Amino acid sequence: MKRFFKPIEKEGSAKKPLLSPSKHGAENGDALPEVDVKKEPLKFLTWNANSLLLRVKSNWHEFSNFVSNLDPDVIAIQEVRMPAAGSKGAPKKPGELKDDTSSSREEKQILMRALSSPPFGNYHVWWSLADTKYAGTALLVKKCLRPLKVSFSLDGTVSKHEPDGRVILAEFETLRILNTYAPNNGWKEEENSFQRRRKWDKRLLEFVVQSSDKPLIWCGDLNVSHEDIDVSHPEFFSAAKMNGYVPPNKEDCGQPGFTLAERKRFGAILKEGRLVDAYRYLHKEKDMECGFSWSGHPIGKYRGKRMRIDYFIVSEKLKERIAECEMHGKGIELEGFYGSDHCPVSLQLSEGCKEDK
């Protein structure tokens, strides 16, 4: 990257000091400009971008207008698909974007220009990235908000990142925000994807139980549809197979994200963690037009087949403050998806009472 581009992506680097009121999110260790500080975020947006660089190249104007109009305090992004810094054979830096080759420098420059332009210039950015153009997450927080701590693993370790950059956790004075990109369950036990997802769900359960000291907002692509109402065609997804393969355990059969095993584990996480599905709390009925966050390819057998796998999950103590939770895409032609196969999902909380803080 050329020198005049400030490396704001390095905010997530392990080499940075912990966030403090004077230097939180500062670039290159410099103090931030004076801004009116808010103690608590109230409006949130989550989106699986399905390659942030591709969205910047093809759909950024429309998405920028959408974000400007919505004006969220926090933006959680999954499937960034930008590689972590570090040359071939060297240790990677998952909190920084790769820029050691001419092509990676150009891609980083394109992305950082987009994130420096309105409205995104009003946000600080944290990254958690995979070694290659795979998975990865980003968290954008308005500069008027100051997290007490930002970490990148389910055990809350600042310097440690989850494999493939699947977690960013921001702690504020009154709540925590967890941005996750859950691993896909996959189709076959032999490929270890079932085991990987079981381990992920077990760790999520442990995390939400152990983090009950402060209200939690858990968002992102959770790669699971909890109930029949959360998919457009339950029978289709229940019977789905890959090349005719049938797993030995019946609870592992069906579309990844809609197997009985995954749905049961997700229900256990909500129950044990005393968590509420914000969208379903407000929207009790099935909505075939706007009730799904992921849509299959418009051409082929998945045309019109849709799932709700992107969520805002909140602590029960926050449920009375859920003012809005909406999915911003609709229809089988992917209107409002901005080039991704996922649409953005938003959450609005009402102001908390002083005694809640």
Side-chain angles (χ1 to χ4, degrees):
M1 178 184 290
K2 295 181 180 179
R3 293 173 182 260
F4 53 78
F5 284 103
K6 294 183 179 180
I8 63 174
E9 70 279 4
K10 292 190 178 181
E11 294 164 14
S13 171
K15 295 181 180 179
K16 290 290 180 184
L18 291 179
L19 304 177
S20 66
S22 63
K23 292 191 176 183
H24 135 258
E27 300 170 4
N28 297 322
D30 298 328
L32 296 172
E34 290 297 322
V35 293
D36 294 331
V37 177
K38 293 172 62 176
K39 289 190 175 181
E40 180 184 60
L42 296 175
K43 187 179 285 190
F44 310 84
L45 182 70
T46 183
W47 185 41
N48 179 321
N50 193 15
S51 177
L52 189 57
L53 184 63
L54 286 180
R55 303 291 78 80
V56 166
K57 290 180 176 180
S58 304
N59 312 90
W60 203 242
H61 177 70
E62 294 80 7
F63 183 66
S64 296
N65 287 340
F66 166 74
V67 171
S68 293
N69 291 330
L70 187 69
D71 194 28
D73 295 321
V74 176
I75 304 172
I77 299 177
Q78 305 86 44
E79 272 203 277
V80 171
R81 291 192 186 178
M82 291 291 288
S87 57
K88 187 175 181 179
K92 304 300 180 183
K93 299 177 182 179
E96 302 177 26
L97 294 164
K98 182 179 178 65
D99 64 356
D100 64 312
T101 65
S102 58
S103 60
S104 64
R105 281 192 293 273
E106 180 181 359
E107 291 177 343
K108 178 178 177 179
Q109 187 173 1
I110 291 170
L111 188 56
M112 298 316 298
R113 276 178 173 164
L115 292 176
S116 299
S117 63
F120 302 100
N122 296 325
Y123 296 82
H124 295 299
V125 185
W126 284 267
W127 305 97
S128 189
L129 306 170
D131 292 351
T132 61
K133 289 186 176 181
Y134 173 72
T137 52
L139 191 71
L140 286 71
V141 179
K142 272 190 175 179
K143 293 176 180 178
C144 59
L145 291 157
R146 296 187 172 178
L148 303 176
K149 176 183 177 182
V150 177
S151 51
F152 307 93
S153 68
L154 291 175
D155 61 14
T157 305
V158 174
S159 59
K160 176 184 174 183
H161 288 245
E162 291 289 336
D164 302 325
R166 293 185 179 274
V167 169
I168 301 181
L169 175 65
E171 181 172 348
F172 295 85
E173 184 176 325
T174 60
L175 53 80
R176 294 186 180 97
I177 300 169
L178 176 65
N179 173 22
T180 67
Y181 176 38
N184 189 286
N185 190 61
W187 295 93
K188 294 185 178 183
E189 179 75 73
E190 305 87 76
E191 297 173 350
N192 294 322
S193 57
F194 290 178
Q195 182 180 359
R196 179 180 69 161
R197 182 56 189 257
R198 292 185 196 115
K199 182 178 180 181
W200 170 270
D201 289 341
K202 181 177 182 291
R203 294 184 64 218
L204 247 304
L205 175 59
E206 293 171 350
F207 171 83
V208 298
V209 170
Q210 295 169 5
S211 303
S212 58
D213 59 309
K214 185 175 286 191
L216 175 69
I217 296 174
W218 172 26
C219 68
D221 178 355
L222 308 191
N223 255 323
V224 63
S225 295
H226 189 203
E227 305 287 355
D228 283 3
I229 192 176
D230 297 315
V231 297
S232 60
H233 299 77
E235 298 82 7
F236 172 87
F237 288 116
S238 295
K241 301 175 185 178
M242 174 64 76
N243 299 327
Y245 174 81
V246 178
N249 185 341
K250 288 185 177 180
E251 291 195 350
D252 290 323
C253 294
Q255 177 76 29
F258 197 62
T259 66
L260 188 57
E262 292 171 275
R263 294 163 65 188
K264 282 184 175 180
R265 293 196 300 266
F266 186 63
I269 292 172
L270 298 186
K271 181 179 178 181
E272 297 298 320
R274 298 184 178 181
L275 301 171
V276 175
D277 177 347
Y279 178 82
R280 193 57 67 205
Y281 179 73
L282 297 180
H283 305 273
K284 308 297 185 186
E285 304 298 325
K286 191 168 188 173
D287 183 347
M288 287 297 291
E289 184 71 7
C290 302
F292 310 104
S293 62
W294 174 89
S295 185
H297 198 283
I299 300 174
K301 70 177 183 178
Y302 276 86
R303 176 176 172 81
K305 308 302 191 297
R306 292 166 288 167
M307 307 174 74
R308 187 171 73 92
I309 58 177
D310 302 85
Y311 291 80
F312 278 100
I313 305 295
V314 305
S315 298
E316 284 186 352
K317 60 186 70 175
L318 291 176
K319 71 178 183 180
E320 299 303 326
R321 294 179 56 194
I322 301 173
E324 297 178 14
C325 188
E326 303 294 337
M327 278 173 279
H328 295 274
K330 64 179 182 179
I332 63 176
E333 302 300 336
L334 307 186
E335 180 182 344
F337 282 63
Y338 304 103
S340 177
D341 53 351
H342 296 247
C343 72
V345 183
S346 65
L347 171 71
Q348 171 79 54
L349 294 181
S350 61
E351 292 275 359
C353 300
K354 289 184 178 181
E355 54 266 30
D356 295 334
K357 300 181 179 181

